[in-house]
Amino acid sequence: MKPFFFRDRERERAMEILKLFFVLLSTALFLSLSESAPLTADYYRKSCPRFSQIIQETVTNKQITSPSTAAGTLRLFFHDCLPNGCDGSVLISSTPFNKAERDADINLSLPGDAFDVIVRAKTALELECPNTVSCADILAVVTRDLVTMVGGPYYNVLLGRRDSRVSKASTIPGALPKATSPIPQIIDIFKARGFTVQEMVALSGAHTIGFSHCKEFSSQIYNYSKSSSFDTQYNPRLAQGLQKACSGFEKNPTLSVFNDIMTPNKFDNSYFQNLPRGLGILKSDHGLYSDWRTRPFVEAYAADENKFFKDFARAMEKLSNYKVITGNQGEIRHKCDAIN
């Protein structure tokens, strides 16, 4: 039988081991929570009470002075979220040691106004509540407010994202649909990220605003085949108009046309109404109507704007939550174009 002092020492040692276990358990739990903290609607209610107001003021001023901002920012948002998640990585500038996402070929045409509105919002928020609001959250909310401002549906944006510390151009090829991508390929890109065909078509409705550069569809309107100078999926009058509008695009790569020739500055369902009439601009636009998987949704949205708005809003909510990073997985950047 062991002496009492041996038993006491073993009891003390067991208690120390038990305490250490609980410390490790609580630390692991804390880290787990901080790494995967859920997004919330009122994330900045205490830390930055004027967050929504500052965003709204910035968006209003920018859109009034530069009406193409809404479409450009919506595109910027897609190009941030779809490849690697909504983490603000597309906003980071390249350095001599790293070629960032924004310098990938498909991102070179992202408009300056879109980057500028994010910089303006970030600057105003840093003055109001320093080191508090992430660039990823700013991009998500600015996009929603701009869509609403030009007539689109309001949708909820949950907050609490952190900004990525990584941005590599090498991750972009194949992760974003191109203007010339066939519909099966576009479906696969969205499917790999958990989006249905219907959600893909609804999100494609973003083409109801904005413009496309002539070089993105020039092969469809010039010297298309031996029998026709343009792709016969185009309405002939539109094709002829595009040929004139894009004349000289090789010397002037900035030449562009509106995606929705009917109501180019209004977010509505006109884009879908145009497609059956051959009034789409891009090859991917025509593909949405000609592919049996996507055509029923095009027809449904062309007939019912409320359905399009409802499905677009739901898909945007889902996209804005795609692969977000929270807690200590990321950071709050001081400047949106540079890692801290």
Side-chain angles (χ1 to χ4, degrees):
M1 188 172 182
K2 292 182 179 179
F4 281 107
F5 66 87
F6 276 119
R7 277 188 257 167
D8 289 342
R9 192 174 293 171
E10 286 179 353
R11 192 179 297 116
E12 287 175 9
R13 191 177 176 188
M15 289 298 291
E16 286 174 4
I17 292 172
L18 196 60
K19 284 179 184 177
L20 182 61
F21 171 75
F22 280 114
V23 168
L24 291 172
L25 185 64
S26 61
T27 302
L29 183 61
F30 171 77
L31 289 174
S32 174
L33 289 172
S34 64
E35 285 179 0
S36 57
L39 303 182
T40 60
D42 60 349
Y43 188 82
Y44 298 111
R45 182 171 59 88
K46 292 181 179 179
S47 61
C48 194
R50 293 187 64 242
F51 166 76
S52 297
Q53 183 183 345
I54 290 171
I55 293 281
Q56 191 62 59
E57 289 171 357
T58 304
V59 160
T60 301
N61 292 334
K62 180 63 180 178
Q63 179 65 18
I64 288 173
T65 55
S66 303
S68 64
T69 301
T73 306
L74 183 53
R75 184 164 175 247
L76 180 65
F77 175 75
F78 279 134
H79 283 232
D80 181 47
C81 293
L82 207 57
N84 301 304
C86 301
D87 57 7
S89 54
V90 76
L91 303 171
I92 295 173
S93 295
S94 294
T95 69
F97 311 102
N98 179 60
K99 185 178 180 181
E101 288 179 25
R102 68 192 287 177
D103 286 323
D105 287 347
I106 198 170
N107 286 337
L108 292 175
S109 60
L110 289 172
D113 280 328
F115 289 100
D116 182 60
V117 72
I118 304 303
V119 170
R120 292 187 187 197
K122 178 64 171 175
T123 302
L125 286 164
E126 283 297 306
L127 290 171
E128 178 77 14
C129 33
N131 306 321
T132 303
V133 182
S134 69
C135 300
D137 274 349
I138 292 171
L139 178 54
V141 177
V142 163
T143 300
R144 189 273 314 278
D145 287 1
L146 281 166
V147 166
T148 305
M149 191 174 175
V150 294
Y154 181 90
Y155 55 91
N156 294 316
V157 176
L158 299 179
L159 302 167
R161 296 165 189 77
R162 288 292 190 267
D163 297 321
S164 174
R165 299 185 184 97
V166 179
S167 179
K168 293 188 177 296
S170 58
T171 65
I172 301 305
L176 287 165
K178 297 179 181 178
T180 55
S181 296
I183 292 300
Q185 188 178 2
I186 299 176
I187 289 174
D188 287 344
I189 289 173
F190 279 87
K191 184 179 179 181
R193 287 152 181 80
F195 290 87
T196 65
V197 172
Q198 182 167 8
E199 288 168 336
M200 184 274 282
V201 177
L203 290 171
S204 298
H207 280 179
T208 185
I209 53 176
F211 55 85
S212 293
H213 291 94
C214 293
K215 63 182 179 180
E216 294 180 310
F217 56 89
S218 59
S219 62
Q220 310 301 120
I221 60 171
Y222 295 116
N223 305 315
Y224 182 71
S225 68
K226 291 181 180 179
S227 58
S228 175
S229 63
F230 56 85
D231 185 342
T232 54
Q233 290 186 94
Y234 282 102
N235 179 294
R237 288 182 63 186
L238 173 63
Q240 291 160 10
L242 291 175
Q243 288 172 342
K244 290 179 182 177
C246 291
S247 177
F249 78 94
E250 291 169 314
K251 292 181 180 179
N252 182 7
T254 62
L255 279 178
S256 56
V257 298
F258 288 118
N259 291 323
D260 176 358
I261 63 170
M262 295 303 183
T263 55
N265 295 313
K266 184 183 178 186
F267 198 101
D268 55 19
N269 68 334
S270 178
Y271 165 77
F272 292 109
Q273 294 175 342
N274 291 341
L275 298 184
R277 294 182 281 173
L279 300 179
I281 300 298
L282 303 175
K283 182 179 179 179
S284 55
D285 296 331
H286 296 298
L288 285 178
Y289 189 66
S290 60
D291 192 284
W292 63 272
R293 288 164 293 187
T294 52
R295 183 170 182 164
F297 302 119
V298 170
E299 292 173 335
Y301 296 149
D304 188 344
E305 185 175 81
N306 287 332
K307 178 171 177 54
F308 163 50
F309 275 22
K310 193 177 295 183
D311 288 352
F312 179 83
R314 195 178 295 122
M316 284 294 284
E317 286 183 8
K318 181 175 176 178
L319 179 61
S320 69
N321 295 330
Y322 175 62
K323 286 181 71 174
V324 299
I325 55 178
T326 58
N328 60 8
Q329 293 174 319
E331 65 182 14
I332 305 291
R333 276 189 231 133
H334 304 314
K335 291 176 62 182
C336 288
D337 65 349
I339 297 164
N340 292 345

